[in-house]
Short mmCIF file of all heavy atoms in Angstrom, two decimals:
data_model
loop_
_atom_site.label_atom_id
_atom_site.label_comp_id
_atom_site.label_asym_id
_atom_site.label_seq_id
_atom_site.Cartn_x
_atom_site.Cartn_y
_atom_site.Cartn_z
N ASN M 1 21.74 4.82 1.71
CA ASN M 1 22.86 4.47 2.58
C ASN M 1 23.37 5.69 3.34
O ASN M 1 23.64 5.63 4.54
CB ASN M 1 24.01 3.84 1.79
CG ASN M 1 23.63 2.52 1.17
OD1 ASN M 1 22.78 1.80 1.70
ND2 ASN M 1 24.25 2.19 0.06
N VAL M 2 23.50 6.82 2.63
CA VAL M 2 23.94 8.06 3.28
C VAL M 2 22.91 8.48 4.32
O VAL M 2 23.28 8.89 5.43
CB VAL M 2 24.17 9.17 2.23
CG1 VAL M 2 24.38 10.52 2.89
CG2 VAL M 2 25.35 8.82 1.34
N ALA M 3 21.63 8.36 4.00
CA ALA M 3 20.58 8.74 4.96
C ALA M 3 20.67 7.91 6.23
O ALA M 3 20.54 8.43 7.34
CB ALA M 3 19.20 8.58 4.32
N ASP M 4 20.93 6.61 6.10
CA ASP M 4 21.07 5.75 7.28
C ASP M 4 22.26 6.18 8.14
O ASP M 4 22.17 6.23 9.36
CB ASP M 4 21.24 4.28 6.87
CG ASP M 4 19.95 3.68 6.33
OD1 ASP M 4 18.86 4.23 6.62
OD2 ASP M 4 20.04 2.67 5.62
N LYS M 5 23.37 6.51 7.49
CA LYS M 5 24.56 6.95 8.24
C LYS M 5 24.31 8.28 8.95
O LYS M 5 24.75 8.49 10.07
CB LYS M 5 25.75 7.04 7.30
CG LYS M 5 26.26 5.67 6.89
CD LYS M 5 27.47 5.78 6.01
CE LYS M 5 28.11 4.45 5.81
NZ LYS M 5 27.71 3.67 4.73
N LEU M 6 23.58 9.17 8.29
CA LEU M 6 23.25 10.46 8.91
C LEU M 6 22.33 10.27 10.12
O LEU M 6 22.49 10.94 11.14
CB LEU M 6 22.62 11.40 7.89
CG LEU M 6 23.55 11.92 6.80
CD1 LEU M 6 22.77 12.54 5.67
CD2 LEU M 6 24.55 12.90 7.39
N ARG M 7 21.38 9.35 10.01
CA ARG M 7 20.48 9.07 11.14
C ARG M 7 21.26 8.52 12.33
O ARG M 7 20.91 8.79 13.48
CB ARG M 7 19.39 8.09 10.71
CG ARG M 7 18.33 8.73 9.85
CD ARG M 7 17.19 7.78 9.54
NE ARG M 7 16.30 8.36 8.55
CZ ARG M 7 16.28 8.01 7.27
NH1 ARG M 7 17.05 7.03 6.81
NH2 ARG M 7 15.45 8.60 6.44
N GLN M 8 22.32 7.76 12.09
CA GLN M 8 23.17 7.25 13.17
C GLN M 8 23.83 8.40 13.93
O GLN M 8 24.13 8.28 15.11
CB GLN M 8 24.23 6.30 12.63
CG GLN M 8 23.66 4.99 12.14
CD GLN M 8 24.70 4.13 11.44
OE1 GLN M 8 25.88 4.47 11.37
NE2 GLN M 8 24.25 2.99 10.91
N HIS M 9 24.06 9.52 13.25
CA HIS M 9 24.62 10.72 13.88
C HIS M 9 23.53 11.64 14.40
O HIS M 9 23.80 12.79 14.76
CB HIS M 9 25.51 11.48 12.88
CG HIS M 9 26.80 10.79 12.58
ND1 HIS M 9 27.87 10.81 13.43
CD2 HIS M 9 27.17 10.03 11.51
CE1 HIS M 9 28.86 10.11 12.90
NE2 HIS M 9 28.45 9.63 11.74
N ARG M 10 22.29 11.15 14.41
CA ARG M 10 21.12 11.90 14.90
C ARG M 10 20.88 13.19 14.13
O ARG M 10 20.57 14.24 14.71
CB ARG M 10 21.23 12.15 16.38
CG ARG M 10 21.24 10.85 17.14
CD ARG M 10 21.10 11.03 18.58
NE ARG M 10 21.00 9.68 19.15
CZ ARG M 10 21.31 9.40 20.37
NH1 ARG M 10 21.70 10.33 21.18
NH2 ARG M 10 21.21 8.17 20.80
N ILE M 11 21.02 13.09 12.82
CA ILE M 11 20.75 14.21 11.93
C ILE M 11 19.44 13.91 11.21
O ILE M 11 19.25 12.81 10.69
CB ILE M 11 21.91 14.41 10.92
CG1 ILE M 11 23.18 14.80 11.68
CG2 ILE M 11 21.54 15.45 9.88
CD1 ILE M 11 24.42 14.84 10.82
N GLY M 12 18.53 14.88 11.18
CA GLY M 12 17.25 14.71 10.48
C GLY M 12 17.48 14.59 8.98
O GLY M 12 18.23 15.36 8.40
N VAL M 13 16.83 13.60 8.37
CA VAL M 13 17.07 13.31 6.96
C VAL M 13 15.75 13.06 6.24
O VAL M 13 14.83 12.46 6.81
CB VAL M 13 17.94 12.03 6.82
CG1 VAL M 13 18.17 11.69 5.36
CG2 VAL M 13 19.25 12.18 7.54
N MET M 14 15.66 13.50 4.98
CA MET M 14 14.55 13.15 4.10
C MET M 14 15.11 12.74 2.74
O MET M 14 15.98 13.43 2.19
CB MET M 14 13.59 14.33 3.91
CG MET M 14 12.56 14.45 4.99
SD MET M 14 11.17 15.47 4.50
CE MET M 14 11.66 17.03 5.20
N VAL M 15 14.61 11.63 2.25
CA VAL M 15 14.91 11.15 0.90
C VAL M 15 13.58 10.75 0.27
O VAL M 15 13.15 9.60 0.40
CB VAL M 15 15.89 9.95 0.92
CG1 VAL M 15 16.21 9.51 -0.50
CG2 VAL M 15 17.17 10.29 1.68
N PRO M 16 12.89 11.69 -0.38
CA PRO M 16 11.58 11.38 -0.96
C PRO M 16 11.68 10.26 -2.00
O PRO M 16 12.58 10.26 -2.83
CB PRO M 16 11.14 12.69 -1.61
CG PRO M 16 11.95 13.74 -0.94
CD PRO M 16 13.24 13.09 -0.57
N GLN M 17 10.72 9.32 -1.91
CA GLN M 17 10.67 8.19 -2.83
C GLN M 17 9.26 8.03 -3.39
O GLN M 17 8.31 8.56 -2.83
CB GLN M 17 11.05 6.90 -2.11
CG GLN M 17 12.45 6.90 -1.54
CD GLN M 17 12.72 5.62 -0.79
OE1 GLN M 17 12.74 4.56 -1.41
NE2 GLN M 17 12.88 5.70 0.51
N GLU M 18 9.16 7.29 -4.46
CA GLU M 18 7.86 6.98 -5.05
C GLU M 18 7.83 5.52 -5.45
O GLU M 18 8.86 4.92 -5.72
CB GLU M 18 7.59 7.85 -6.27
CG GLU M 18 8.49 7.52 -7.45
CD GLU M 18 8.11 8.23 -8.73
OE1 GLU M 18 6.92 8.57 -8.91
OE2 GLU M 18 9.00 8.42 -9.56
N GLN M 19 6.62 4.96 -5.48
CA GLN M 19 6.42 3.62 -6.02
C GLN M 19 6.07 3.78 -7.49
O GLN M 19 5.11 4.49 -7.83
CB GLN M 19 5.28 2.90 -5.31
CG GLN M 19 5.62 2.41 -3.96
CD GLN M 19 4.45 1.61 -3.37
OE1 GLN M 19 3.32 1.66 -3.86
NE2 GLN M 19 4.74 0.89 -2.32
N ARG M 20 6.83 3.13 -8.37
CA ARG M 20 6.53 3.19 -9.79
C ARG M 20 6.00 1.84 -10.26
O ARG M 20 6.47 0.79 -9.83
CB ARG M 20 7.79 3.51 -10.59
CG ARG M 20 8.23 4.92 -10.48
CD ARG M 20 9.33 5.22 -11.46
NE ARG M 20 9.94 6.50 -11.13
CZ ARG M 20 11.11 6.89 -11.58
NH1 ARG M 20 11.82 6.11 -12.38
NH2 ARG M 20 11.59 8.06 -11.23
N ALA M 21 5.05 1.90 -11.15
CA ALA M 21 4.50 0.69 -11.75
C ALA M 21 5.45 0.25 -12.86
O ALA M 21 5.76 1.03 -13.76
CB ALA M 21 3.11 0.96 -12.30
N ILE M 22 5.92 -0.98 -12.78
CA ILE M 22 6.83 -1.55 -13.76
C ILE M 22 6.17 -2.79 -14.35
O ILE M 22 5.74 -3.67 -13.61
CB ILE M 22 8.18 -1.96 -13.10
CG1 ILE M 22 8.79 -0.80 -12.32
CG2 ILE M 22 9.14 -2.53 -14.13
CD1 ILE M 22 9.28 0.34 -13.17
N ARG M 23 6.11 -2.84 -15.66
CA ARG M 23 5.52 -4.02 -16.31
C ARG M 23 6.65 -5.00 -16.62
O ARG M 23 7.61 -4.68 -17.30
CB ARG M 23 4.79 -3.63 -17.58
CG ARG M 23 4.01 -4.79 -18.14
CD ARG M 23 3.10 -4.31 -19.25
NE ARG M 23 2.40 -5.44 -19.82
CZ ARG M 23 1.13 -5.71 -19.60
NH1 ARG M 23 0.42 -4.92 -18.82
NH2 ARG M 23 0.56 -6.75 -20.15
N SER M 24 6.51 -6.21 -16.10
CA SER M 24 7.51 -7.25 -16.30
C SER M 24 6.81 -8.59 -16.43
O SER M 24 5.96 -8.93 -15.61
CB SER M 24 8.47 -7.24 -15.11
OG SER M 24 9.38 -8.30 -15.20
N ALA M 25 7.20 -9.35 -17.44
CA ALA M 25 6.64 -10.68 -17.68
C ALA M 25 5.11 -10.65 -17.78
O ALA M 25 4.43 -11.53 -17.27
CB ALA M 25 7.09 -11.66 -16.61
N GLY M 26 4.57 -9.57 -18.38
CA GLY M 26 3.14 -9.49 -18.61
C GLY M 26 2.29 -9.02 -17.45
O GLY M 26 1.08 -8.96 -17.54
N SER M 27 2.92 -8.68 -16.32
CA SER M 27 2.14 -8.18 -15.18
C SER M 27 2.80 -6.94 -14.60
O SER M 27 3.99 -6.69 -14.81
CB SER M 27 2.00 -9.28 -14.11
OG SER M 27 3.26 -9.64 -13.61
N TRP M 28 2.02 -6.19 -13.86
CA TRP M 28 2.50 -4.95 -13.25
C TRP M 28 3.02 -5.22 -11.84
O TRP M 28 2.38 -5.92 -11.07
CB TRP M 28 1.38 -3.91 -13.19
CG TRP M 28 1.03 -3.38 -14.55
CD1 TRP M 28 0.02 -3.79 -15.36
CD2 TRP M 28 1.70 -2.33 -15.25
NE1 TRP M 28 0.02 -3.07 -16.53
CE2 TRP M 28 1.04 -2.16 -16.49
CE3 TRP M 28 2.79 -1.52 -14.96
CZ2 TRP M 28 1.44 -1.22 -17.43
CZ3 TRP M 28 3.17 -0.58 -15.88
CH2 TRP M 28 2.51 -0.43 -17.10
N HIS M 29 4.19 -4.64 -11.54
CA HIS M 29 4.80 -4.72 -10.22
C HIS M 29 5.16 -3.31 -9.79
O HIS M 29 5.29 -2.41 -10.62
CB HIS M 29 6.07 -5.57 -10.25
CG HIS M 29 5.87 -6.94 -10.82
ND1 HIS M 29 5.37 -7.98 -10.10
CD2 HIS M 29 6.11 -7.43 -12.07
CE1 HIS M 29 5.30 -9.05 -10.85
NE2 HIS M 29 5.73 -8.75 -12.07
N TYR M 30 5.33 -3.10 -8.50
CA TYR M 30 5.71 -1.79 -8.00
C TYR M 30 7.11 -1.85 -7.41
O TYR M 30 7.47 -2.79 -6.71
CB TYR M 30 4.71 -1.29 -6.95
CG TYR M 30 3.38 -0.97 -7.56
CD1 TYR M 30 2.35 -1.90 -7.55
CD2 TYR M 30 3.16 0.25 -8.19
CE1 TYR M 30 1.13 -1.61 -8.14
CE2 TYR M 30 1.95 0.54 -8.79
CZ TYR M 30 0.95 -0.39 -8.75
OH TYR M 30 -0.25 -0.10 -9.34
N LYS M 31 7.90 -0.81 -7.73
CA LYS M 31 9.27 -0.72 -7.23
C LYS M 31 9.50 0.70 -6.71
O LYS M 31 9.01 1.66 -7.31
CB LYS M 31 10.26 -1.05 -8.35
CG LYS M 31 11.69 -1.11 -7.91
CD LYS M 31 12.60 -1.54 -9.04
CE LYS M 31 14.04 -1.50 -8.56
NZ LYS M 31 14.98 -1.76 -9.64
N ASP M 32 10.24 0.84 -5.61
CA ASP M 32 10.52 2.15 -5.02
C ASP M 32 11.69 2.81 -5.74
O ASP M 32 12.70 2.17 -6.02
CB ASP M 32 10.85 2.02 -3.54
CG ASP M 32 9.67 1.53 -2.73
OD1 ASP M 32 8.54 1.55 -3.24
OD2 ASP M 32 9.87 1.12 -1.56
N PHE M 33 11.53 4.12 -6.05
CA PHE M 33 12.57 4.92 -6.68
C PHE M 33 12.76 6.21 -5.90
O PHE M 33 11.78 6.80 -5.43
CB PHE M 33 12.19 5.28 -8.12
CG PHE M 33 12.33 4.14 -9.10
CD1 PHE M 33 11.30 3.24 -9.28
CD2 PHE M 33 13.50 3.98 -9.81
CE1 PHE M 33 11.42 2.20 -10.17
CE2 PHE M 33 13.63 2.93 -10.71
CZ PHE M 33 12.59 2.04 -10.89
N VAL M 34 13.99 6.70 -5.81
CA VAL M 34 14.29 7.98 -5.18
C VAL M 34 13.89 9.08 -6.17
O VAL M 34 14.24 9.02 -7.36
CB VAL M 34 15.79 8.08 -4.82
CG1 VAL M 34 16.15 9.46 -4.31
CG2 VAL M 34 16.15 7.01 -3.79
N LEU M 35 13.15 10.09 -5.69
CA LEU M 35 12.68 11.17 -6.57
C LEU M 35 13.82 12.08 -7.02
O LEU M 35 13.91 12.44 -8.19
CB LEU M 35 11.62 12.01 -5.86
CG LEU M 35 10.23 11.40 -5.78
CD1 LEU M 35 9.30 12.29 -4.98
CD2 LEU M 35 9.66 11.20 -7.17
#
């Protein structure tokens, strides 16, 4: 949310994220997490 607000002010922003494998209900799913 902060990154979006900063982009509105034309400020360069980086928020590194990763996809993590999460096992739920017997199968693997991927969810994005902030590093």
Side-chain angles (χ1 to χ4, degrees):
N1 295 332
V2 170
D4 288 339
K5 288 182 170 91
L6 290 166
R7 285 185 189 103
Q8 290 173 4
H9 289 282
R10 297 191 175 156
I11 296 173
V13 179
M14 275 198 264
V15 181
Q17 299 178 65
E18 69 172 333
Q19 285 184 345
R20 286 189 193 163
I22 307 291
R23 189 170 178 105
S24 175
S27 62
W28 289 96
H29 306 279
Y30 291 96
K31 185 176 177 187
D32 295 345
F33 284 86
V34 173
L35 283 176

